[in-house]
């Protein structure tokens, strides 16, 4: 019995890990369905703000909803298709962070003062400050830039109050984009793992019950498959080594 | 000698990285040259184009003024290559607080610069870079892309007070520049231990970038000089001693003009011109 224990445990770990890998493979195939492929997208833009958004259970707040008008100003009405395509193509590891960051800045250069104020307020700036920052933004936007060698006229530049308000808005935008991308990435991984676990459970029950295994065993195999998949080989080796060492000590 | 200026920004402070608008310095005045892009392409064909990049926290007008001045100093040293000053939005209203976010602006600027150069230069044109501070990140990221694409030839690269990690020239991956280093003919690093910005501010900013964006945390290349062991990388690096402590070379001294005028405080142009012209053993006066 102990002779076969090492092989048995190792083989079991490898088999369960293989089921996990297979489940991940099935989920990869399921990405043909846009809803699956866009896992986590609702943390960027909520279903209400972004038409068409991505439906998700519970009140997931689209962190970038306030910035949508600026993105529409920069990229046009079909901006959501562009963002979704880039999300699918690499999420925060691809072109999407640059598209969002630069798009918002370009959009701010095109929006009227009331829209900038509305965005600033939705980003958390107090109403009075939001109006102030929008006016400052517009005033500086409409200044003629000094030519090379020309000394800017006194009073053309921003006041200390304007500079502080603009800095606050700038940081709020950058921080929000980074936070949203981080949340979406985490949500993507979590949802994908959850889906893979459901697939693994379905396979475990389907195959296990057909082979006459107890439901509790099917459940344990299905639950363990996904977390085990990346480390199955190492675990199998470690188990075999542990059992060999245990046998050696037993004499 | 042709001197151009490429604006990758459309705001005086901060703002987006834009696709690039070309200007030309004519008798010290910046003239919109975007409609004459074919002239730029023709005049750089078969030549070496020296691309100059300013650093972090430099407004549009400051960047333009300092790079135009630096072009004059290089020309006075006998450098006759066409030059392209690049203005990129590595600043913000939040000043130093914006530093953690500017690394990505540097990368975005590099992406746009690479596309612009690839579009408007003829294959076979040689591209050299001279960057200061965070502009070195733009330079090396652009060089990496050029090396990988292979359509334009990388020439020599000079990094002045580079605000990048001291082992990044030999590193591959997202925050390494190995391909750019190996693709260049030679890379020279001008560094100083008296650079207080890189000594104190860089580690803090770099730590924030590590926490927020998963970048690598290390010491600044412009403080310690390159830390490399790979013979292949070492073969590409010009052996330049760090600045002599007696010179007190600080961060702004590489492009900043001395009080008496005529040269930068750190006399970097006196190294750059002979190094780019392939003189044997070019000397940086500040290195003692």
């Amino acid at each position: 019995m102990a002779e076969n224990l090492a092989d048995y445990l190792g083989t079991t770990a490898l088999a369960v890990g293989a089921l996990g890998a297979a489940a991940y493979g099935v989920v990869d195939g399921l990405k043909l369905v846009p809803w699956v492929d866009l896992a986590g997208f609702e943390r960027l833009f909520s279903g209400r703000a972004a038409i068409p958004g991505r439906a998700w259970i519970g009140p997931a707040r689209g962190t970038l909803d306030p910035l949508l008008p600026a993105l529409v100003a920069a990229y046009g009405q079909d901006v959501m298709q562009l963002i979704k395509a880039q999300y699918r193509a690499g999420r925060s590891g691809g072109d999407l962070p640059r598209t969002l960051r630069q798009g918002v800045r370009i959009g701010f250069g095109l929006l009227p003062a009331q829209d900038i104020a509305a965005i600033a307020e939705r980003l958390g700036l107090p109403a009075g400050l939001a109006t102030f920052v929008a006016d400052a933004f517009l005033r500086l936007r409409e200044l003629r830039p000094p030519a090379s060698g020309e000394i800017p006229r006194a009073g053309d530049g921003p006041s200390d109050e304007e500079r502080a308000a603009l800095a606050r808005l700038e940081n709020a935008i950058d921080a929000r984009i980074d936070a949203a991308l981080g949340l979406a990435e985490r949500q993507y991984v979590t949802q994908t793992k959850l889906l893979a676990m459901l697939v693994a459970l379905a396979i475990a029950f389907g195959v296990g019950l057909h082979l006459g295994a107890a439901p509790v065993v099917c459940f344990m195999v299905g639950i363990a498959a996904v977390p085990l998949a990346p480390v199955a080989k190492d675990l199998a080796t470690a188990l075999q080594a542990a059992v060999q060492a245990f046998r050696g000590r037993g004499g | 000698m042709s001197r151009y200026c490429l604006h990758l920004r459309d705001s005086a402070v901060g703002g987006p990285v834009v696709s690039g608008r070309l200007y030309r310095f004519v008798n010290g005045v910046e003239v919109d040259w975007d409609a004459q892009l074919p002239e730029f392409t023709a005049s750089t064909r078969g030549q070496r184009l020296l691309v100059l990049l300013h650093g972090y926290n430099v407004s549009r007008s400051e960047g333009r003024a300092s790079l135009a001045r630096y072009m004059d100093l290089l020309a006075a040293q006998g450098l006759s290559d066409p030059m392209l000053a690049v203005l990129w939005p590595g600043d913000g209203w939040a000043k130093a607080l914006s530093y953690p976010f500017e690394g990505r602006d540097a990368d975005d600027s590099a992406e746009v610069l690479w596309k612009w150069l690839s579009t408007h230069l003829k294959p076979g044109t040689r591209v050299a870079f001279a960057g200061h501070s965070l502009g070195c990140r733009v330079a090396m990221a652009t060089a990496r892309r050029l090396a990988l694409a292979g359509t334009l030839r990388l020439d020599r690269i000079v990094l002045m007070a580079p605000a990048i990690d001291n082992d990044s020239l030999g590193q591959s991956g997202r925050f390494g520049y190995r391909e750019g280093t190996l693709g260049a003919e030679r890379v020279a690093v001008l560094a100083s231990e008296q650079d207080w910005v890189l000594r104190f501010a860089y580690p803090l900013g770099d730590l924030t970038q590590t926490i927020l964006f998963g970048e690598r945390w290390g010491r600044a290349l412009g403080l310690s000089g390159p830390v490399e062991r790979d013979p292949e990388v070492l073969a590409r690096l010009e052996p330049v001693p760090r600045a002599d402590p007696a010179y007190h070379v600080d961060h702004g001294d590489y492009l900043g003009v001395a009080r008496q005028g005529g040269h930068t405080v750190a006399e970097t142009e006196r190294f750059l011109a002979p190094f780019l012209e392939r003189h044997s053993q070019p000397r940086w006066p500040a290195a003692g």
Side-chain angles (χ1 to χ4, degrees), chain A residues 129-140:
Chain A
L129 185 63
T131 308
F132 177 74
V133 81
D135 291 343
F137 198 93
L138 241 72
R139 187 179 76 77
L140 294 166

Side-chain angles (χ1 to χ4, degrees), chain A residues 60-197:
Chain A
R61 280 183 54 204
T63 320
L64 301 184
D65 285 356
L67 300 175
L68 196 52
L71 290 165
V72 170
Y75 299 120
Q77 290 298 333
D78 290 337
V79 63
M80 206 40 63
Q81 300 304 334
L82 164 77
I83 292 171
K84 281 181 177 177
Q86 292 195 339
Y87 187 80
R88 287 192 180 99
R91 297 182 312 284
S92 55
D95 287 337
L96 182 60
R98 179 156 48 100
T99 300
L100 293 172
R101 214 169 36 241
Q102 305 303 344
V104 167
R105 293 176 187 178
I106 291 167
F108 263 60
L110 301 167
L111 289 173
Q114 63 267 27
D115 288 1
I116 294 174
I119 291 173
E121 202 172 339
R122 288 189 68 194
L123 287 174
L125 271 68
L129 185 63
T131 308
F132 177 74
V133 81
D135 291 343
F137 198 93
L138 241 72
R139 187 179 76 77
L140 294 166
R141 195 169 81 187
E142 282 157 15
L143 276 180
R144 182 185 67 80
S148 55
E150 188 183 351
I151 308 293
R153 287 178 311 174
D156 274 359
S159 66
D160 287 350
E161 291 79 9
E162 286 175 328
R163 190 183 292 278
L166 287 162
R168 198 166 158 182
L169 177 64
E170 195 178 66
N171 277 350
I173 292 168
D174 281 343
R176 190 170 277 249
I177 290 172
D178 290 325
L181 287 166
L183 281 170
E185 188 70 29
R186 183 156 296 212
Q187 195 69 241
Y188 175 89
V189 171
T190 306
Q191 288 183 27
T192 306
K193 279 184 176 171
L194 187 71
L195 194 57
M197 188 188 74

